[in-house]
Amino acid sequence: MPEEKSPSENGETTGLPKWLDAKYFEKTLRKVKNDSTIDVRSVEVKYAFPKGVNYASVIYRVRVSFRTKDQQTCSRSYIVKGKPETEMAKQKLGEYNVHGKEMDIYQIVIPEFKRLMRSIGDRTHQYASTLCIDRERDVIVFKDLSPLGYLMVDRLSGLDEIHTKMSLKLMAKMHASSLKLAEMRPNIFEGYKTGMMTRETDAFYPMFYSNFDALTEEISTWGAEWQYYATKLQKLRPHFIEQGLTVFDHQCDDDLRVLAHGDLWINNLLFKYDASGNPIDVILLDFQFCSYSTPVIDLCYFFFTSTKDAIRQDHFEEYVQYYYYLLAEYTEKLKYSKKFPTLHQFQRQLLKKMFYAVYSSFIALPVQINEETADADFEALMGDDERAQRYRRIIMANTNYQKIVKGLLPKFDRKGLLDKLD
């Protein structure tokens, strides 16, 4: 069983939006349930996550008690996801249109994905269910999955073999669904251009450079045997962002192009367990950074940020093959008729885009496994003041992170990923 039993309520109630009240939920529930007699009796609002867990939005857990037309009193829990509260976060994330994009995904795309999966007899949940998508308030109201037994695995522990394979299977279903949907509706993903690294905006570039520089500086303090890698990274720096952006470029029509989730890591997966503690289901959350691009984005990001280190260090090729065969299976079931690559051809596509493993390990991972949360907020992540610099020194000095990086640096170097690629 996971160490983190649920997306934890931290009990904080300061700064909660005043509009998130009984009147709001009464109006919403009456509309959604088509019952004008619903009478909301009480609403309890809390922040759903502690500091340092979520950067790109603000999330509340809301307990609503209401009476229906048959005089039954019901108590339901909902998750309300909205825009971040600070001006810097609003500005930078606004350039990515993360909230508008996610609303579109839940309103337009996910219903199609579910329909496609049902057409082949797959009725697993796969995605969170929404109560409503409120564009006036810029929020999505989800049905809370924790009462159904869905839990978040400890991000510091990583996923074992069973959890990893379940996640890859869900990834393959999503990617296969997008391949078929794009075949049926060729223009449906035209608006999804802004992945985590994008040419559409440079809003995150300072953070990429700052994390990269902090890692390089940290490695330079490790001793003589690591100076080779510090020098490698110094030479790579001028090319780092461009090589990351190239991952998102669609360079060959024969390469697979899917709706990549873009932020597929352990905290965006919820697992359900049987009585013996074995995982039996998984649901994927958070579609703010999805883009129509290569599946390698999700493969590398997920594998290098979210698996246990014993898996991360030595089993990438094994799990790529596992994913590939699942993707092939689901595209065949969905009667996808366009050209599908052989495993060897897919491996060649992977190699062209594998620089994203470097991005995932150097930029995302230290943030995700950070344990010192005093300065862990969007401003520290994106800023350049003393507090932000202290935050980056802390995440790079994390002994668990350093152990991971010391294993990965030689592997990336042998693949040529620490060099200028062109």
Side-chain angles (χ1 to χ4, degrees):
M1 291 288 285
E3 186 176 321
E4 263 177 43
K5 295 300 182 184
S6 68
S8 171
E9 296 181 21
N10 62 6
E12 292 183 17
T13 57
T14 56
L16 297 171
K18 293 182 179 179
W19 59 265
L20 202 57
D21 57 10
K23 182 179 180 181
Y24 177 81
F25 276 96
E26 188 168 275
K27 178 181 178 182
T28 300
L29 288 168
R30 285 180 175 184
K31 181 178 180 180
V32 171
K33 296 181 180 294
N34 194 27
D35 180 359
S36 62
T37 70
I38 285 178
D39 177 26
V40 171
R41 298 302 180 90
S42 66
V43 172
E44 180 185 0
V45 185
K46 294 181 179 179
Y47 286 101
F49 294 98
K51 191 174 183 180
V53 173
N54 191 278
Y55 292 85
S57 56
V58 59
I59 303 177
Y60 311 98
R61 176 172 277 109
V62 185
R63 172 67 64 177
V64 181
S65 177
F66 59 94
R67 180 170 288 184
T68 61
K69 58 187 173 184
D70 56 7
Q71 299 302 304
Q72 286 189 338
T73 299
C74 303
S75 182
R76 298 286 186 271
S77 183
Y78 300 103
I79 299 294
V80 180
K81 182 176 185 179
K83 289 185 175 181
E85 299 167 317
T86 67
E87 289 306 314
M88 178 187 285
K90 288 178 182 177
Q91 183 261 317
K92 288 186 176 290
L93 292 166
E95 294 186 34
Y96 279 79
N97 188 32
V98 295
H99 300 287
K101 180 192 293 185
E102 187 169 37
M103 288 182 184
D104 289 343
I105 289 290
Y106 276 105
Q107 190 165 38
I108 300 167
V109 177
I110 285 179
E112 293 296 323
F113 283 179
K114 290 180 176 179
R115 184 183 62 78
L116 286 168
M117 284 291 107
R118 287 196 299 269
S119 75
I120 60 173
D122 188 326
R123 297 187 175 275
T124 55
H125 288 94
Q126 300 171 40
Y127 313 102
S129 297
T130 59
L131 179 71
C132 73
I133 295 162
D134 184 347
R135 294 183 185 269
E136 181 181 349
R137 293 287 186 180
D138 268 334
V139 298
I140 307 175
V141 183
F142 296 96
K143 298 175 183 178
D144 190 357
L145 293 168
S146 56
L148 300 178
Y150 285 91
L151 311 171
M152 188 180 291
V153 178
D154 179 14
R155 63 188 169 88
L156 304 179
S157 297
L159 300 175
D160 62 15
E161 178 181 358
I162 295 174
H163 288 82
T164 297
K165 287 186 173 180
M166 288 180 67
S167 304
L168 289 170
K169 186 174 184 178
L170 178 55
M171 186 194 301
K173 289 180 181 181
M174 175 185 164
H175 290 170
S177 297
S178 69
L179 284 168
K180 182 61 180 178
L181 187 57
E183 182 182 18
M184 297 165 57
R185 298 172 59 181
N187 299 322
I188 191 167
F189 298 128
E190 274 190 355
Y192 299 95
K193 298 178 181 178
T194 51
M196 195 74 73
M197 300 190 82
T198 177
R199 299 185 190 280
E200 301 294 313
T201 173
D202 61 0
F204 284 7
Y205 290 11
M207 183 266 287
F208 299 153
Y209 280 128
S210 295
N211 280 17
F212 188 89
D213 291 344
L215 176 60
T216 304
E217 183 177 343
E218 179 63 35
I219 293 172
S220 70
T221 69
W222 289 355
E225 70 271 31
W226 295 100
Q227 294 311 302
Y228 168 83
Y229 295 104
T231 301
K232 277 266 183 175
L233 265 58
Q234 289 166 3
K235 292 180 179 179
L236 176 62
R237 187 190 192 276
H239 315 290
F240 181 80
I241 287 182
E242 179 58 32
Q243 290 183 186
L245 293 171
T246 302
V247 173
F248 288 79
D249 294 339
H250 187 60
Q251 299 162 315
C252 176
D253 288 340
D254 287 338
D255 289 353
L256 285 178
R257 199 175 188 188
V258 303
L259 184 70
H261 180 278
D263 196 16
L264 209 166
W265 73 293
I266 194 169
N267 268 23
N268 286 330
L269 295 161
L270 294 179
F271 292 88
K272 189 174 183 178
Y273 298 83
D274 64 19
S276 300
N278 301 307
I280 55 174
D281 195 19
V282 58
I283 282 179
L284 180 59
L285 310 171
D286 199 341
F287 291 82
Q288 294 182 321
F289 289 97
C290 55
S291 63
Y292 189 42
S293 190
T294 171
V296 178
I297 291 166
D298 285 345
L299 267 174
C300 285
Y301 193 83
F302 167 74
F303 189 87
F304 287 95
T305 65
S306 300
T307 58
K308 287 187 175 296
D309 199 42
I311 294 174
R312 179 193 289 115
Q313 296 291 345
D314 296 312
H315 297 280
F316 183 61
E317 289 78 9
E318 173 188 341
Y319 284 95
V320 166
Q321 184 181 37
Y322 179 80
Y323 160 84
Y324 168 84
Y325 284 133
L326 285 169
L327 184 65
E329 174 187 342
Y330 283 112
T331 52
E332 183 177 1
K333 286 181 178 179
L334 289 167
K335 296 182 171 56
Y336 178 70
S337 63
K338 292 189 176 182
K339 181 179 179 181
F340 190 81
T342 64
L343 177 57
H344 178 68
Q345 290 168 339
F346 182 73
Q347 292 282 7
R348 290 165 57 191
Q349 295 177 23
L350 170 70
L351 186 59
K352 287 191 297 184
K353 304 291 187 178
M354 200 176 161
F355 187 78
Y356 210 63
V358 176
Y359 164 83
S360 303
S361 305
F362 289 3
I363 307 301
L365 181 60
V367 175
Q368 293 167 346
I369 64 171
N370 170 46
E371 299 178 65
E372 302 293 333
T373 60
D375 291 320
D377 55 34
F378 194 85
E379 282 62 37
L381 193 65
M382 295 289 169
D384 194 36
D385 58 11
E386 175 53 35
R387 189 173 75 92
Q389 293 172 25
R390 180 175 66 246
Y391 168 74
R392 284 190 285 272
R393 288 194 298 268
I394 287 171
I395 65 175
M396 297 305 174
N398 181 338
T399 55
N400 290 329
Y401 177 62
Q402 290 185 11
K403 177 179 177 291
I404 293 168
V405 170
K406 286 177 178 179
L408 292 177
L409 281 168
K411 294 178 174 64
F412 290 160
D413 190 39
R414 292 184 202 115
K415 290 183 178 294
L417 297 174
L418 302 184
D419 300 319
K420 184 177 183 296
L421 297 182
D422 294 320

